[in-house]
Amino acid sequence: MEPIVDFSILPARLRSAERVVTVAVACPADSHTEEVIERSIAEQFARFTLVANTAKADIARRLAADYPDKVTLIVADDDDDAARHAVKEVREGRADVLMKGSLNTDNLLRAVLNKEEGILIKGSVLTHIAVADVPSLNHLLFFSDAAVIPYPTTEQYDAITRYITDTYRSITGGDRPRVALIHCTEKVSEKFPLTLSYEELKANAAAGAYGEVEIGGPMDVKTACDAESGAIKGIASPVVGNANCLIFPDIEAGNTFYKTITLFGGATVAGMLVGTTAPVVVTSRADTADSKFYSLATACLKAINKQ
Amino acid sequence: MEPIVDFSILPARLRSAERVVTVAVACPADSHTEEVIERSIAEQFARFTLVANTAKADIARRLAADYPDKVTLIVADDDDDAARHAVKEVREGRADVLMKGSLNTDNLLRAVLNKEEGILIKGSVLTHIAVADVPSLNHLLFFSDAAVIPYPTTEQYDAITRYITDTYRSITGGDRPRVALIHCTEKVSEKFPLTLSYEELKANAAAGAYGEVEIGGPMDVKTACDAESGAIKGIASPVVGNANCLIFPDIEAGNTFYKTITLFGGATVAGMLVGTTAPVVVTSRADTADSKFYSLATACLKAINKQ
């Protein structure tokens, strides 16, 4: 199959998968979540287990009544109980993806990270991977971490690199991701300890830690994504000007990229939490409807094509 | 006069100023610098003192011959000597702006920062201010620090805030800048010490340290620049959705914004160093011709309208 280069083909690709994904939703009680669920049902690529808080179960009850063969309803005592039950659906193998509805992210994460009953992979790092469909690029652009780890350690950068390359392969079907290690200059120096971590990542990559991969950096966003800048600076690398995975030095840079490419670059950005046994979709109120829908669609594709 | 909201009006505004600016250029020996100089002469807003390294003085000699009433030539022994002489032109009041030609930035900065013969204002912090002309915004967007200070201290954030508000007023003619303190979330917490620095900046602003100003944050780039996001999050402030000055938490975020808004947002970005007795223009090889030209033009306007 052709690698996926933009979001528009995702529903068709999911429909052609050998099975339908099941999504457990904690507290589907707002119109945004409702819209994503109905759109996914209309696009015929997912079924849902809706875990509603009994105090705000109207939307979930309506969806279960309207789509009896696509929706299973579980009614929980409160938000925390709903989070626990939704996580349990994943942990016990009845759901492939976990999605946040209208409860606080902290409440959902408490259930996700619970040592006995959660779904964090043992010894694993929870992180966020975003996927941008940028009008001016002819491929999807993966980046991390824009939302969870403030200032990654070398071990956390290593985990981020493993996750992002796995996720790239699962979602696009491409087999040799091109990873740029982002930094404000090309210099490796002790003044910026993160550049020393980057050197370790490159050594890990050379030793095969991330499978088939091209990795380069430190380099800035323009050098990573614009072939001309690299040519002017005289940097030759398969990554320069052509990166499809960006590892950001810290959450401030990752978040700034996320917001800037959305607001000024016309990009649609999907996002998910990884490091768990199943992808977790945690959209935020200010995200567009498309961003929320494609967050779920990319998470479903990742779940189906698990590396 | 109307505030300046994009770059196109800069040459006319400079021509209507009561005097012509003099720019000292260290090592004008490359075609990019040559082009900026000739374009500025054609637009009739600057005269130049070209300090050439004798080993690469051809372009400077040609310009001095072609524009005898606009160009003064000084021939120096080498790059360092050229840097020292160009800085001396500023220090002794014969030039209003310093511009880097084709020498290493480090060589120029050594002369700029020299304790006896440099032009750093005593006790001052050297920092970088960028000005973006973004097609989708109806005002110029100032931001700092994308190039000099890696992880600012509270004192450095304070200096950056003073410089950026002064520079905003000098260049746009507007009198009440709207400053957003950028951070990945709206929360103030000890987990992110920079948010505590931001609280001090807001207290300083309330005490009048930055003159007439609106200041808000912590907030992310989208909240700062997109009114809709602020409305969805329920944050009300004159800055939200309408910021024209962005203070970035660190150089990684500032640099990422710079490169992303240029590459994906279609912005033209001008930049200058401040904290010195005159603005210093230090463009980089990968900048576009427009970016270099408007870097000089904004620096000239700042020099004329010194606060």
Side-chain angles (χ1 to χ4, degrees):
Chain A
M1 274 191 290
E2 287 293 300
I4 288 181
V5 299
D6 64 41
F7 285 160
S8 62
I9 202 183
L10 287 174
R13 194 60 68 95
L14 282 161
R15 273 194 300 275
S16 72
E18 51 197 37
R19 65 189 184 88
V20 169
V21 178
T22 299
V23 182
V25 187
C27 294
D30 60 291
S31 60
H32 296 286
T33 306
E34 182 182 24
E35 188 189 328
V36 168
I37 292 168
E38 291 209 82
R39 192 167 162 191
S40 306
I41 290 173
E43 293 277 11
Q44 304 176 51
F45 67 74
R47 62 177 312 292
F48 291 87
T49 301
L50 305 182
V51 188
N53 172 341
T54 186
K56 42 181 181 174
D58 291 355
I59 287 176
R61 285 187 203 283
R62 202 272 297 166
L63 289 167
D66 284 1
Y67 307 100
D69 56 335
K70 299 285 188 183
V71 171
T72 303
L73 178 66
I74 297 177
V75 178
D77 297 340
D78 55 31
D79 282 2
D80 284 321
D81 192 41
R84 274 193 303 273
H85 271 90
V87 165
K88 191 175 176 189
E89 292 298 301
V90 170
R91 199 179 62 253
E92 299 184 351
R94 290 185 297 277
D96 310 285
V97 170
L98 177 64
M99 182 173 173
K100 175 178 105 81
S102 54
L103 77 172
N104 285 328
T105 303
D106 288 350
N107 293 45
L108 184 65
L109 287 186
R110 209 175 304 128
V112 166
L113 299 175
N114 184 287
K115 284 218 171 109
E116 282 78 41
E117 304 190 316
I119 53 172
L120 188 70
I121 296 167
K122 202 170 144 56
S124 191
V125 170
L126 187 77
T127 181
H128 183 269
I129 294 190
V131 191
D133 184 343
V134 190
S136 61
L137 289 180
N138 60 1
H139 57 77
L140 292 176
L141 189 57
F142 291 67
F143 61 96
S144 182
D145 181 331
V148 175
I149 305 175
Y151 301 96
T153 61
T154 303
E155 290 66 33
Q156 288 170 326
Y157 284 125
D158 172 60
I160 289 169
T161 307
R162 274 187 290 110
Y163 296 149
I164 205 169
T165 50
D166 284 350
T167 304
Y168 168 85
R169 293 183 193 103
S170 299
I171 290 174
T172 67
D175 53 6
R176 197 173 172 85
R178 300 182 296 274
V179 180
L181 306 170
I182 301 297
H183 178 50
C184 56
T185 79
E186 282 88 41
K187 279 183 208 136
V188 174
S189 83
E190 298 196 356
K191 188 176 161 196
F192 288 99
L194 66 97
T195 62
L196 306 179
S197 298
Y198 285 177
E199 292 299 291
E200 291 195 41
L201 297 188
K202 289 191 284 183
N204 295 348
Y210 314 121
E212 288 286 312
V213 67
E214 302 283 358
I215 193 165
M219 67 177 77
D220 66 31
V221 168
K222 203 163 167 228
T223 307
C225 299
D226 176 41
E228 213 179 305
S229 305
I232 291 170
K233 293 190 175 187
I235 308 168
S237 135
V239 176
V240 165
N242 208 16
N244 47 32
C245 298
L246 310 180
I247 309 287
F248 278 97
D250 63 34
I251 197 171
E252 302 293 359
N255 190 270
T256 291
F257 182 75
Y258 192 147
K259 302 304 162 69
T260 306
I261 204 164
T262 305
L263 185 57
F264 296 108
T268 301
V269 182
M272 69 186 84
L273 298 177
V274 299
T276 39
T277 60
V280 180
V281 177
V282 181
T283 58
S284 90
R285 286 166 299 170
D287 290 336
T288 63
D290 264 1
S291 162
K292 288 169 185 166
F293 174 69
Y294 288 120
S295 292
L296 182 61
T298 50
C300 288
L301 200 53
K302 178 170 170 62
I304 281 184
N305 298 329
K306 220 179 212 177
Q307 295 280 320
Chain B
M1 276 193 289
E2 286 293 299
I4 289 181
V5 299
D6 64 41
F7 285 161
S8 63
I9 201 183
L10 286 174
R13 193 60 67 95
L14 281 162
R15 272 195 299 278
S16 72
E18 51 197 36
R19 67 190 182 88
V20 170
V21 178
T22 299
V23 181
V25 187
C27 294
D30 61 290
S31 60
H32 296 286
T33 307
E34 182 182 23
E35 188 189 329
V36 168
I37 292 168
E38 291 207 83
R39 190 166 163 191
S40 305
I41 290 173
E43 293 277 12
Q44 303 177 49
F45 66 74
R47 60 178 313 289
F48 291 87
T49 301
L50 305 183
V51 189
N53 172 342
T54 184
K56 43 180 181 174
D58 292 355
I59 286 175
R61 283 187 206 283
R62 203 272 297 166
L63 290 167
D66 284 0
Y67 307 99
D69 56 334
K70 299 285 188 185
V71 172
T72 303
L73 178 66
I74 298 175
V75 179
D77 297 340
D78 54 30
D79 281 4
D80 283 323
D81 192 40
R84 276 193 301 274
H85 271 89
V87 165
K88 191 176 176 188
E89 291 298 300
V90 171
R91 199 178 63 253
E92 298 183 351
R94 291 185 296 278
D96 309 287
V97 170
L98 177 65
M99 183 173 172
K100 176 178 106 80
S102 54
L103 77 171
N104 285 327
T105 303
D106 288 351
N107 293 41
L108 185 65
L109 287 186
R110 210 174 305 128
V112 166
L113 299 175
N114 183 288
K115 284 218 171 111
E116 282 77 41
E117 302 189 319
I119 53 172
L120 188 71
I121 296 167
K122 201 172 148 49
S124 192
V125 171
L126 187 77
T127 181
H128 183 270
I129 294 189
V131 191
D133 184 343
V134 190
S136 60
L137 288 181
N138 61 2
H139 57 77
L140 292 175
L141 190 56
F142 290 67
F143 60 98
S144 181
D145 180 334
V148 176
I149 304 175
Y151 301 95
T153 61
T154 302
E155 291 65 33
Q156 288 170 325
Y157 283 125
D158 172 59
I160 289 169
T161 307
R162 273 186 293 114
Y163 295 149
I164 205 168
T165 50
D166 284 351
T167 304
Y168 168 85
R169 292 182 194 106
S170 298
I171 290 174
T172 67
D175 54 6
R176 197 174 171 87
R178 298 181 296 272
V179 180
L181 306 170
I182 301 296
H183 178 51
C184 57
T185 79
E186 282 87 40
K187 278 181 208 140
V188 173
S189 82
E190 297 195 356
K191 188 176 160 197
F192 288 99
L194 67 95
T195 60
L196 305 179
S197 298
Y198 285 177
E199 293 298 291
E200 290 195 41
L201 297 188
K202 289 191 282 183
N204 295 348
Y210 314 120
E212 288 285 313
V213 68
E214 302 283 357
I215 194 165
M219 66 177 79
D220 67 31
V221 168
K222 202 161 170 232
T223 308
C225 299
D226 176 39
E228 211 178 306
S229 304
I232 290 171
K233 293 190 175 187
I235 307 168
S237 133
V239 175
V240 166
N242 207 16
N244 47 31
C245 298
L246 311 180
I247 308 288
F248 278 97
D250 63 34
I251 197 171
E252 304 292 0
N255 191 270
T256 291
F257 182 74
Y258 192 148
K259 302 304 162 71
T260 306
I261 204 165
T262 305
L263 184 57
F264 296 108
T268 302
V269 182
M272 69 186 85
L273 299 177
V274 299
T276 40
T277 60
V280 179
V281 177
V282 181
T283 58
S284 90
R285 288 165 298 170
D287 290 337
T288 62
D290 264 2
S291 161
K292 288 169 185 167
F293 174 70
Y294 289 119
S295 291
L296 182 60
T298 49
C300 288
L301 201 54
K302 177 168 170 63
I304 281 184
N305 297 329
K306 219 179 210 173
Q307 295 280 322

